[in-house]
Amino acid sequence: MSSSLVFQGEFQHIIRIYNTNVDGRRKIQYALTCVKGVGRRFANLVCKKADVDMSKRAGELSKDEVERLTTIMNHPRQYNIPTWFLNRQKDIKDGKYSHCLANQIDVKFREDLERLKKIRAHRGVRHHFGLRVRGQKTKTTGRRGRTVGVAGRR
């Protein structure tokens, strides 16, 4: 008697993808979203390009299927994923389209902030002083430290 809920074979409770622990009990599309830089739509597209069964749990995948997923996530342009789907379009240094994942995102973000600070752009200066960057009001909100609204009488 074989039930669809019972998996015949080796089940992994935790899979390691891009230095991230991925929960093996979740469906593969939603399990991939644990990796930084992978959303639900990108995970869906990657699973379709890799010909992975969407109804499978992440722990049920074979080594070959995990390898296919990671290669497509590494090189999405080679697998006809459109450029508007990528999270790093027309990079400021080399002008290339790429998709950053995991710790690549942190590195690129830090490089962008350093570039803005170096050229003394308004955004870079605001980041440097730890102030709000996107035009929010700062008179009363977001106070840290000793700044108090009205000083009491003495």
Side-chain angles (χ1 to χ4, degrees):
M1 180 173 128
S2 175
S3 174
S4 63
L5 295 176
V6 179
F7 176 66
Q8 311 297 333
E10 194 172 321
F11 185 83
Q12 293 178 308
H13 289 280
I14 293 176
I15 302 172
R16 196 86 173 142
I17 300 175
Y18 285 109
N19 296 329
T20 307
N21 292 334
V22 175
D23 187 9
R25 296 169 299 185
R26 296 173 75 185
K27 297 268 187 177
I28 183 59
Q29 177 184 352
Y30 298 103
L32 284 178
T33 60
C34 294
V35 178
K36 194 170 182 179
V38 178
R40 290 190 306 231
R41 292 197 59 207
F42 187 71
N44 185 5
L45 189 61
V46 166
C47 289
K48 286 179 181 175
K49 295 283 184 185
D51 293 326
V52 173
D53 186 14
M54 300 286 276
S55 62
K56 274 188 177 181
R57 304 278 171 183
E60 299 172 0
L61 295 179
S62 65
K63 298 273 186 201
D64 181 47
E65 289 173 323
V66 173
E67 189 66 34
R68 278 193 314 221
L69 288 171
T70 54
T71 54
I72 291 174
M73 285 163 50
N74 259 343
H75 311 288
R77 301 270 318 271
Q78 293 176 3
Y79 293 91
N80 295 329
I81 293 178
T83 55
W84 54 264
F85 224 100
L86 308 179
N87 64 6
R88 186 81 178 167
Q89 299 175 13
K90 280 173 63 171
D91 191 12
I92 199 80
K93 286 186 178 176
D94 54 10
K96 292 183 180 176
Y97 292 83
S98 63
H99 195 83
C100 298
L101 299 165
N103 53 0
Q104 290 176 341
I105 290 180
D106 300 328
V107 171
K108 293 286 188 184
F109 184 68
R110 198 174 315 110
E111 285 176 1
D112 289 343
L113 289 184
E114 289 302 318
R115 183 182 58 82
L116 289 171
K117 289 176 190 175
K118 183 180 172 190
I119 64 174
R120 296 273 197 270
H122 185 259
R123 277 177 53 206
V125 172
R126 302 285 291 183
H127 272 293
H128 179 72
F129 289 120
L131 298 171
R132 300 270 191 240
V133 176
R134 297 187 176 182
Q136 299 95 320
K137 307 278 189 204
T138 56
K139 184 174 181 181
T140 56
T141 61
R143 293 181 180 174
R144 299 185 306 267
R146 291 188 55 217
T147 312
V148 183
V150 179
R153 291 188 186 183
R154 293 190 181 197

